[in-house]
Amino acid sequence: MRQRPLWAALLATAAFAGHVSAADLRIGLQEDPDALDPAQARTFVGRIVFESLCDKLVNIDNAGNFVPELATEWAWSADGMTLTMKLRTDAKFHDGEPINAAAVVANIERGKTLEESRRKSELASVASVAATGEHEVVFTLTKPDATLVAQLSDRAGMLVSPKAAAELGAGLGKNPVCSGEFKFVERIDQDRIVLEKFADHWNAANVHIDRVIFLPIPDTTVRLANLRSGDLHMLERLAPSDVAGVKADAALKFESAVSQGYQGITVNVNNGARSETPFGKDARVRQALSLAIDREVVNQVVFEGVYAPGNQPFPPTSVWYDQSNPVQPRDVAKAKALLAEAGVTGRLAIEMQAANNPVQLQLMQVIQAMAAEAGIDISIKATEFATMLNEQTAGNYDSTQVGWSGRTDPDGNIHAFVTCKGGLNDSKFCNDKVEALLNEARTSTDQAVRKAKYDEAGKILAEELPIIYLYHQTWLWAMKAGVSGFVPYPDGMIRLAGVKVE
Amino acid sequence: MLRYILRRVLIAVPTLILVSVFVFTLQKLLPGDPVLAMAGEDRDPATIAFLREKYRLNDPILVQYFVWLGDVLRGDLGMSLRTGLPVTELIAQKLPVTIQLAIMSMFWALLIGIPMGIVSAVRKGTWADWLANIVALSGLSVPNFWLGIMLILLVSVNLGWLPASGYESPFVDLKRSFQTMLMPSLVLGTGLAAALMRHTRSAMLGVLQSDYIRTARAKGLAERRVILRHAFRNALLPVVTLTALLFGELLAGAVLTEQIFTIPGFGKLVVDAVFNRDYAVVQGVVLVTAVGFILMNLLADVLYVLLNPRMRDAL
């Protein structure tokens, strides 16, 4: 009983301990990120945290153009074999180490050589990188690679302190030392990631938040409830079904941006015995299915009209979208005619894998109903995601409803999927013309030249349809009305410079 | 007594080995390649090859098992594939959270379940019995995730009394720790209270009809004393067993409740681990849970002996 006063005192202290201080920003994430090391990271959600934690050489603006971050300017050599970058002179790492050419060299080498690195393929074209001045580096390539700047605008271009990296090795992910607007404070797995303002950051005057707390809350309903109750200031990936409710709530704000990725149907056209079907072997059958689908209705019914219907690897909002090949309206009669032309008599049965979650299955049911009207009977195989990918790689599938989160450079949305030896080409589609065009497109640094090649390849792909593109997800954010200065970006990231909390 | 406990602990060893073999093989039977899940969206072949080598996924399954077992005997539960953290560290992080949730839930379950069970047995057939039964039936039939979301909407969103979800350690902020745990423990506790109430009620009914209770009443003992001291103590035995089993279950993590209230406990850890094919984490959690279960059972048996002197001869 003697301890009672102590307990009482503890309780009283706890009762007065305020939890949320004025310039905290609490952000609800859909998942818990993986390792917080730019070299090792692999998840989309991790990139959201990196955007505040780790500066990179190049960033993008909200139209998808490259803008300076740690690199102030860059230039390609005429033959496209070297890229010269000039660096800021006023940037430092969170541990006080200077950011200079040597730090860039150390980071690129780390990305290329660290055993655990997931950046190796992104930096594969870099033969060497050298410091040609205190604040100037030159990348020498093995072959021209226009996608390199885009890679350097993402995790491959994020710099960690070479000193910390040398000390911690692969353990850096537990205690990241970068140079972003916020520095790492603590992380409790599956609970929170806490960052605080880095006072020595070159852009510190434009940062109005003292602490950022990222809270992974996987359930969308609960994430929104946390926002409404005031436990969060902002959340990412609002469910489309909640958009109307958020818009109607005066205490909340809504922002959105069409993503760089896509969702579609990957068809097994040449991956083992299961491709030996009319659907796998005859492009007209795939065209029939594509024509049977009303993409606008899919968007309205399944996604409350907030996503963007699509028919290409790039969203209609992208500069890389081919405007001469717009989304076709539904045409059941033409679909039936194409099936007849392909010699399909009677009804055609197709099996389609889909991720085992309510939204994806609802999408599949709508497509199933539409396809049935054209004479195609889809049997939906709801599969857990990791298993689904396995089946797809192994060729043990007819078709899969699957997507891609998207990349800033167009090459990242198309090359690996439809070139003959592409690492993600699970349909095993292979077409010499497409192959040549896509390989040429990645070597030119002239946007107009590249666009012409993607358009030309796109026309063949629209005929062949190894992937039937369906729609582009829209990134949906909800925030308290008191949060101002937030700008939505097509990459789904949250950029906190300029953001204020009332 | 000590020898009894020691014997029980020794018997637990083969059980644990069996559990580990079982979980190990079951996991390997799961379709889906952990390396594909880990390599990221780009599925870089070099990364895939490196990961297979690093986590010994190319070795025969028997070799993998014995390597794992050898590490476990040295106190190393391996590395989590998802986070890159040692499994022991993850377990050390999550176990206190799960234990806190389990204790608080059990507190509500006992506080509600046992008095309700006694009252409904003693007042059998009256409105109090009916009421207790209705409450118990609802507690058993309302799904946790629904009750959880409804509570969040009512208590956090509409009334603004408690944080909607999340967790705080009691050592950092005691008040907030209780605030964040209140709703999840109530959701879990009411479900368990229903089971406890039903068991207490039927055990009490059985005991109340026995001869010695009639004798006690005939001796003129106060009804209160008859019920609490004579009847309840004997009715307690099956309830103790049930409580220990329920507590063991709570230690395995409450998957749905933890997911809804975003509590970083065992349930969330193991679900994420299964989806990411994070073998080492699943193995480690199952092992620790099995140990917890065995300990709870042992505790129940020891309590039995303390409650029932006749059992001491059986040792």
Side-chain angles (χ1 to χ4, degrees):
Chain A
M1 283 303 115
R2 259 196 194 161
Q3 284 183 344
R4 205 178 233 169
L6 176 66
W7 275 107
L10 266 176
L11 275 167
T13 327
F16 288 108
H19 193 73
V20 178
S21 76
D24 273 5
L25 185 76
R26 296 165 65 86
I27 301 175
L29 304 175
Q30 182 160 299
E31 299 111 16
D32 192 31
D34 54 334
L36 289 180
D37 172 356
Q40 295 177 63
R42 60 187 166 82
T43 58
F44 166 79
V45 71
R47 287 169 56 207
I48 296 183
V49 176
F50 285 134
E51 197 58 50
S52 295
L53 180 65
C54 299
D55 273 354
K56 44 208 179 189
L57 292 168
V58 182
N59 210 331
I60 58 166
D61 63 15
N62 61 352
N65 301 308
F66 297 115
V67 294
E69 189 155 294
L70 290 173
T72 50
E73 56 186 282
W74 53 91
W76 285 103
S77 64
D79 62 356
M81 291 295 284
T82 62
L83 173 69
T84 307
M85 277 189 161
K86 287 202 163 55
L87 304 176
R88 307 186 67 89
T89 52
D90 54 353
K92 285 182 196 181
F93 288 107
H94 294 150
D95 59 1
E97 292 287 302
I99 290 183
N100 50 26
V104 175
V105 172
N107 270 279
I108 299 298
E109 272 165 10
R110 183 169 186 263
K112 281 182 75 70
T113 56
L114 183 75
E115 278 193 319
E116 287 82 359
S117 170
R118 310 282 153 92
R119 305 281 84 82
K120 287 174 186 158
S121 61
E122 297 165 15
L123 294 169
S125 64
V126 178
S128 68
V129 54
T132 48
E134 176 64 14
H135 292 102
E136 188 187 90
V137 284
V138 174
F139 292 80
T140 306
L141 310 192
T142 51
K143 55 176 193 281
D145 177 12
T147 72
L148 184 62
V149 176
Q151 305 294 11
L152 298 178
S153 76
D154 198 344
R155 289 164 296 199
M158 287 177 191
L159 302 189
V160 300
S161 159
K163 188 177 152 211
E167 278 166 20
L168 299 168
L172 185 85
K174 278 171 74 177
N175 197 3
V177 184
C178 288
S179 69
E181 287 142 354
F182 295 87
K183 61 181 177 186
F184 181 77
V185 178
E186 66 162 340
R187 173 178 195 178
I188 299 171
D189 184 61
Q190 291 177 317
D191 182 43
R192 78 189 81 160
I193 293 169
V194 182
L195 312 180
E196 68 180 11
K197 184 178 172 176
F198 177 44
D200 289 338
H201 191 267
W202 51 271
N203 195 25
N206 199 20
V207 175
H208 312 291
I209 291 156
D210 295 328
R211 277 204 320 165
V212 195
I213 300 139
F214 292 99
L215 300 149
I217 305 176
D219 190 285
T220 49
T221 311
V222 177
R223 202 153 67 243
L224 182 57
N226 271 283
L227 182 70
R228 289 190 196 273
S229 71
D231 293 293
L232 290 178
H233 295 102
M234 181 193 279
L235 62 83
E236 55 107 16
R237 278 178 281 177
L238 181 73
S241 53
D242 287 327
V243 169
V246 168
K247 281 182 175 166
D249 189 335
L252 301 180
K253 268 205 283 204
F254 170 76
E255 294 285 358
S256 67
V258 175
S259 77
Q260 299 168 325
Y262 64 80
Q263 288 287 325
I265 297 165
T266 297
V267 184
N268 183 353
V269 298
N270 197 23
N271 191 354
R274 297 235 3 214
S275 67
E276 305 290 333
T277 63
F279 190 49
K281 287 297 163 207
D282 196 324
R284 288 169 296 188
V285 178
R286 297 193 288 276
Q287 289 165 11
L289 176 63
S290 182
L291 279 167
I293 300 169
D294 189 327
R295 290 163 169 80
E296 189 48 51
V297 168
V298 167
N299 186 33
Q300 294 299 335
V301 171
V302 188
F303 306 115
E304 316 273 329
V306 298
Y307 287 177
N311 64 330
Q312 297 176 29
F314 325 112
T317 46
S318 162
V319 293
W320 300 100
Y321 186 83
D322 180 4
Q323 301 290 349
S324 70
N325 171 26
V327 178
Q328 280 176 297
R330 186 177 193 224
D331 191 339
V332 177
K334 196 170 169 199
K336 283 182 173 163
L338 279 166
L339 285 174
E341 214 179 286
V344 175
T345 49
R347 299 188 70 81
L348 179 74
I350 298 172
E351 187 184 85
M352 206 172 282
Q353 300 191 93
N356 193 7
N357 70 60
V359 176
Q360 246 44 43
L361 292 178
Q362 200 191 341
L363 165 73
M364 285 308 304
Q365 283 155 5
V366 173
I367 290 176
Q368 188 181 41
M370 288 172 170
E373 287 175 23
I376 301 173
D377 292 323
I378 297 176
S379 61
I380 305 167
K381 190 177 170 199
T383 314
E384 183 257 348
F385 198 77
T387 313
M388 188 174 96
L389 280 186
N390 246 28
E391 298 282 54
Q392 197 180 297
T393 328
N396 191 20
Y397 77 115
D398 289 351
S399 56
T400 309
Q401 195 288 303
V402 68
W404 178 245
S405 71
R407 296 291 179 267
T408 301
D409 192 277
D411 183 82
N413 276 17
I414 186 166
H415 193 278
F417 298 91
V418 293
T419 49
C420 302
K421 294 220 163 81
L424 300 170
N425 184 356
D426 290 333
S427 70
K428 297 280 179 249
F429 173 80
C430 188
N431 175 301
D432 293 342
K433 195 83 199 289
V434 171
E435 183 90 1
L437 286 165
L438 293 182
N439 282 338
E440 285 158 26
R442 59 171 21 180
T443 59
S444 169
T445 51
D446 183 334
Q447 183 160 331
V449 173
R450 296 186 74 192
K451 173 89 169 64
K453 307 232 182 252
Y454 286 123
D455 286 357
E456 204 182 333
K459 290 202 170 60
I460 302 170
L461 291 171
E463 289 288 313
E464 291 291 331
L465 289 176
I467 299 172
I468 302 171
Y469 300 99
L470 294 174
Y471 66 93
H472 306 275
Q473 197 185 330
T474 298
W475 303 118
L476 308 169
W477 294 272
M479 61 206 77
K480 286 279 174 197
V483 176
S484 61
F486 174 81
V487 181
Y489 275 69
D491 60 1
M493 299 296 111
I494 298 172
R495 290 169 170 83
L496 289 176
V499 173
K500 286 183 183 160
V501 192
E502 239 170 52
Chain B
M1 188 72 172
L2 202 68
R3 268 188 56 198
Y4 170 72
I5 293 177
L6 216 69
R7 202 169 66 223
R8 289 291 305 268
V9 170
L10 279 178
I11 295 175
V13 174
T15 313
L16 285 176
I17 291 179
L18 220 72
V19 165
S20 73
V21 171
F22 205 60
V23 176
F24 202 89
T25 20
L26 272 185
Q27 281 204 93
K28 299 284 168 179
L29 287 177
L30 268 182
D33 188 338
V35 170
L36 271 191
M38 258 191 301
E41 222 184 19
D42 299 290
R43 293 189 253 149
D44 180 13
T47 310
I48 290 179
F50 163 72
L51 289 170
R52 272 196 216 292
E53 199 53 44
K54 179 171 176 190
Y55 293 100
R56 298 178 151 273
L57 294 167
N58 289 325
D59 292 347
I61 180 162
L62 218 58
V63 174
Q64 288 185 40
Y65 177 75
F66 281 107
V67 168
W68 175 79
L69 192 65
D71 288 344
V72 170
L73 292 177
R74 275 180 275 118
D76 177 8
L77 290 177
M79 294 288 269
S80 156
L81 308 180
R82 181 180 67 85
T83 59
L85 297 176
V87 176
T88 42
E89 194 181 317
L90 281 175
I91 287 176
Q93 254 181 29
K94 317 279 176 183
L95 190 59
V97 180
T98 294
I99 290 178
Q100 190 189 348
L101 182 61
I103 291 175
M104 283 181 70
S105 307
M106 205 31 101
F107 171 78
W108 294 119
L110 293 171
L111 190 75
I112 300 166
I114 290 187
M116 256 183 15
I118 296 175
V119 168
S120 82
V122 174
R123 303 247 182 278
K124 187 176 172 241
T126 65
W127 63 269
D129 183 22
W130 280 106
L131 188 71
N133 270 295
I134 289 170
V135 171
L137 203 63
S138 353
L140 281 174
S141 38
V142 172
N144 280 353
F145 64 88
W146 183 84
L147 185 61
I149 289 191
M150 289 301 132
L151 270 180
I152 289 177
L153 291 179
L154 177 71
V155 178
S156 306
V157 177
N158 284 331
L159 301 171
W161 288 349
L162 291 172
S165 68
Y167 174 74
E168 188 62 74
S169 159
F171 301 107
V172 174
D173 186 341
L174 192 64
K175 182 183 164 207
R176 190 169 165 86
S177 180
F178 275 107
Q179 284 177 341
T180 52
M181 280 293 194
L182 195 58
M183 284 197 286
S185 63
L186 266 174
V187 166
L188 277 176
T190 46
L192 301 179
L196 277 173
M197 178 264 164
R198 299 292 307 170
H199 270 76
T200 311
R201 181 177 186 270
S202 61
M204 279 295 280
L205 284 177
V207 173
L208 281 171
Q209 279 161 12
S210 47
D211 292 342
Y212 75 91
I213 295 294
R214 205 179 46 211
T215 312
R217 282 187 176 135
K219 282 197 313 191
L221 283 181
E223 186 63 13
R224 192 190 168 80
R225 197 172 159 80
V226 172
I227 289 166
L228 290 182
R229 181 124 188 109
H230 292 253
F232 180 58
R233 189 160 173 177
N234 276 301
L236 208 53
L237 290 179
V239 177
V240 166
T241 317
L242 181 70
T243 307
L245 283 176
L246 290 177
F247 198 82
E249 259 174 52
L250 283 174
L251 287 185
V255 175
L256 284 174
T257 310
E258 287 182 12
Q259 191 80 3
I260 294 289
F261 290 99
T262 329
I263 296 168
F266 262 22
K268 253 178 84 64
L269 180 67
V270 85
V271 167
D272 273 15
V274 170
F275 281 120
N276 285 292
R277 302 291 185 272
D278 199 343
Y279 295 148
V281 173
V282 178
Q283 292 277 107
V285 172
V286 169
L287 206 63
V288 172
T289 308
V291 170
F293 233 103
I294 288 168
L295 282 179
M296 282 300 129
N297 267 308
L298 184 60
L299 190 71
D301 289 345
V302 171
L303 278 178
Y304 250 63
V305 176
L306 296 179
L307 285 170
N308 187 350
R310 276 175 302 177
M311 296 222 14
R312 278 169 213 165
D313 304 331
L315 293 187

